[in-house]
Amino acid sequence: MADSQSEVDVWVQRVVKDITNAFKRNPNIDEIGVIPCPVGRYNRSPIVMVENKLGVESWCVKFLLPYVQNKLLFYRQRKHRLDKEALVDITSTLLLLNPDFTTAWNVRKELIQGGVLHAEKDLYLGKLALTKFPKSPETWIHRRWVLQQILTLLSAADCGGKQSRGGAEQADVERSQQSSYQLAQMLQQELNVCSHAACSYPSNYNAWSHRIWVLQHMAKGNVKVFHDELATTCQWVSMHVSDHSGFHYRQFLLKELIEEFSPTPASSRKCSPQRQSRTAPNNRLLRSINVLANGEQLGKENTDEDKELELAKLFELFHQEMELCSDLIRSFPGHETLWSHRRHVFYLWHQWRWEHQLYNLNSNGDTLLHNNGDTAQLKPGAQSCEDWGGGTMEVDGIALPRDSKRLKRGLRLSSLPSLSSECTFLSDILESQCNPEQRHFGLAYKKWLDSVIGKEL
């Protein structure tokens, strides 16, 4: 038996070496997998390479996995010594087969901190592990740790360059450009990894949470990246209408863009609508709305071009997201995720207007304010969800003619979300849909509008 076990150990060592050699021969491996093969029928290595795909025959996993696990545990318990190269090979093999083995990731952290292993190697290893185990929480956690190490090094290099003096300014500029290029590459790589993992496993909360972390730490303040992400994920959520994780990600993007485009500082937008004081809004904001609503050219007297553009972009964000919700709810009836997302987006819009004292806009773009310190009430003739009548287009009780002035890029004030527009949308849904689940979610949304939004007006 001892001889048999010894032979197995020798054979497993050879398999580990085959995996290591496969990566040396082909550094562009982009996917791993287990090949269903209950019995080894041929006198050859169970490691198979096809183009850039690496496969392990399933019959050998029951020998290979316990061997590498025991080797690593004996090393951690100081019962067995391993040189650095062997330790890298053992942990790589183990993590490709079982990426949630925390001890292996911790050992590789030590190797990175000791300068034995490059951080980029672990990003590559984690990317491969996620092709087979796209929801592995330990892999995502370790990936964030590695990215944090790289970001710290890039930040230290930039700080060191800024402190240099003399004739090294050109070198500092080149170093800064190189760091920016490297950061942009890493960002795109992480977004691609997250996209692949989200497509491979439904409701992959770990992948979407990692994507949020990446934007928070690698693209903070980069409005273009957040806009691109909204455009990129639009098609994805349209094909995965029951995946709440994807819609939660879009909610994160909207919140970040709202903070970037809102004319007032984020510190003044912490109070809820119920607690918000009725102070007068910024005059510049009012002028910007008037300019946009009247179709005037930007940059004229008493206007701020940047503020007007940002306000127009903010209006477009809400309009487009509500339009996306409407299209998906009509096309895919009976999906609770779509209604939940609509509720969240509408409340964001409702809260933004309360916080900026811009709750009612008339056809001329003027702002009707409630500054008396009391809770604002619906104007006479205002529409709630209890009133399903038709009539003219309204924005919370303020009648808007069909030919009202358009915002930039063709967006009208009457096209912005409002309680009356939501009631009209719900009326169409409930009258035209016979799907029982669709009606159930529609009535639940109507009840939410009446009980939450209606009471705050």
Side-chain angles (χ1 to χ4, degrees):
M1 185 69 179
D3 291 342
S4 176
Q5 184 62 42
S6 178
E7 291 176 359
V8 170
D9 289 347
V10 171
W11 173 81
V12 172
Q13 291 177 16
R14 190 181 303 124
V15 174
V16 173
K17 200 66 176 177
D18 289 344
I19 295 176
T20 303
N21 291 334
F23 282 100
K24 290 180 178 178
R25 289 193 303 268
N26 188 352
N28 298 318
I29 295 175
D30 56 13
E31 187 176 350
I32 62 170
V34 176
I35 303 172
C37 184
V39 179
R41 300 180 180 179
Y42 305 100
N43 186 21
R44 61 179 176 82
S45 173
I47 307 304
V48 180
M49 280 289 302
V50 178
E51 295 180 352
N52 293 330
K53 318 299 179 184
L54 185 145
V56 180
E57 294 181 354
S58 59
W59 66 270
C60 79
V61 175
K62 63 181 180 181
F63 302 105
L64 182 58
L65 189 55
Y67 172 82
V68 291
Q69 286 179 344
N70 291 332
K71 275 281 189 181
L72 187 61
L73 291 176
F74 287 157
Y75 166 78
R76 295 294 282 179
Q77 296 168 3
R78 303 185 184 279
K79 295 180 180 180
H80 186 75
R81 297 191 63 180
L82 290 172
D83 58 59
K84 302 302 182 182
E85 184 177 351
L87 197 56
V88 171
D89 295 343
I90 289 293
T91 53
S92 297
T93 302
L94 173 55
L95 291 169
L96 291 175
L97 299 174
N98 180 17
D100 287 326
F101 200 85
T102 309
T103 302
W105 288 122
N106 290 338
V107 169
R108 294 183 74 89
K109 285 184 176 71
E110 295 173 0
L111 294 175
I112 292 174
Q113 291 175 331
V116 177
L117 186 64
H118 290 292
E120 289 78 5
K121 292 287 186 180
D122 263 23
L123 290 181
Y124 176 62
L125 178 65
K127 176 183 176 181
L128 289 179
L130 290 171
T131 61
K132 173 62 179 173
F133 306 94
K135 203 176 181 179
S136 168
E138 293 298 327
T139 305
W140 292 111
I141 292 172
H142 182 74
R143 194 170 190 86
R144 287 191 285 275
W145 182 88
V146 173
L147 289 170
Q148 191 65 63
Q149 302 304 305
I150 297 176
L151 292 175
T152 301
L153 291 175
L154 291 176
S155 178
D158 286 342
C159 290
K162 291 178 181 179
Q163 293 175 358
S164 62
R165 300 177 180 177
E169 294 183 0
Q170 183 62 31
D172 295 341
V173 172
E174 293 178 356
R175 188 185 301 108
S176 178
Q177 291 177 345
Q178 184 177 2
S179 297
S180 300
Y181 177 73
Q182 184 177 354
L183 182 63
Q185 279 192 319
M186 288 173 50
L187 174 63
Q188 189 58 52
Q189 173 183 292
E190 290 305 301
L191 296 179
N192 291 339
V193 170
C194 293
S195 295
H196 189 277
C199 291
S200 301
Y201 197 101
S203 299
N204 195 339
Y205 176 79
N206 294 317
W208 289 106
S209 297
H210 180 78
R211 194 166 186 154
I212 290 175
W213 184 93
V214 167
L215 291 189
Q216 289 175 332
H217 290 79
M218 301 174 67
K220 189 65 175 178
N222 192 332
V223 176
K224 183 180 184 304
V225 172
F226 284 85
H227 265 299
D228 291 345
E229 283 295 279
L230 268 180
T232 300
T233 56
C234 181
Q235 182 180 5
W236 195 93
V237 297
S238 299
M239 299 173 63
H240 302 79
V241 292
S242 292
D243 195 327
H244 182 75
S245 297
F247 286 98
H248 177 264
Y249 180 69
R250 291 184 67 82
Q251 293 163 17
F252 159 76
L253 294 174
L254 285 172
K255 290 177 182 177
E256 292 295 314
L257 288 170
I258 288 170
E259 290 187 5
E260 291 293 333
F261 292 147
S262 291
T264 54
S267 59
S268 65
R269 299 194 300 274
K270 294 181 179 179
C271 297
S272 62
Q274 298 92 325
R275 298 180 180 179
Q276 183 71 22
S277 62
R278 302 300 191 261
T279 57
N282 192 315
N283 290 333
R284 179 177 293 178
L285 176 59
L286 301 185
R287 289 196 300 268
S288 298
I289 294 177
N290 290 332
V291 169
L292 290 172
N294 293 326
E296 299 175 11
Q297 293 183 355
L298 298 174
K300 286 195 173 183
E301 52 186 70
N302 296 327
T303 62
D304 186 330
E305 181 175 355
D306 293 335
K307 294 297 181 183
E308 292 155 11
L309 286 173
E310 290 176 355
L311 194 63
K313 291 176 183 177
L314 181 62
F315 286 176
E316 277 191 285
L317 285 177
F318 283 111
H319 171 72
Q320 292 173 358
E321 197 66 21
M322 293 299 287
E323 284 295 299
L324 174 64
C325 287
S326 299
D327 292 342
L328 293 179
I329 287 174
R330 291 189 179 99
S331 301
F332 304 96
H335 288 270
E336 185 177 10
T337 299
L338 301 176
W339 289 96
S340 176
H341 182 62
R342 187 182 191 92
R343 181 184 298 122
H344 189 97
V345 174
F346 184 75
Y347 190 75
L348 280 179
W349 167 247
H350 166 76
Q351 188 178 41
W352 183 87
R353 291 199 294 176
W354 266 113
E355 291 170 349
H356 293 80
Q357 304 302 308
L358 302 174
Y359 203 80
N360 291 314
L361 301 174
N362 66 9
S363 59
N364 295 322
D366 298 327
T367 307
L368 304 182
L369 304 175
H370 304 283
N371 294 323
N372 56 5
D374 299 326
T375 304
Q377 302 295 328
L378 283 173
K379 294 288 184 179
Q383 200 176 32
S384 73
C385 281
E386 299 299 333
D387 179 15
W388 299 101
T392 61
M393 179 68 70
E394 296 181 347
V395 178
D396 293 320
I398 306 302
L400 297 179
R402 293 292 177 178
D403 59 346
S404 59
K405 299 293 184 179
R406 292 175 174 269
L407 294 175
K408 296 302 176 183
R409 304 184 186 180
L411 182 63
R412 296 185 304 177
L413 289 176
S414 58
S415 300
L416 294 173
S418 67
L419 182 60
S420 58
S421 66
E422 290 302 282
C423 292
T424 302
F425 169 77
L426 277 173
S427 179
D428 293 340
I429 291 294
L430 296 176
E431 291 176 1
S432 61
Q433 288 289 338
C434 58
N435 185 303
E437 292 183 345
Q438 182 84 318
R439 289 188 60 84
H440 171 73
F441 295 136
L443 291 173
Y445 184 63
K446 170 183 175 294
K447 182 178 180 180
W448 176 81
L449 287 173
D450 290 334
S451 60
V452 177
I453 304 300
K455 290 183 178 180
E456 293 179 359
L457 294 175

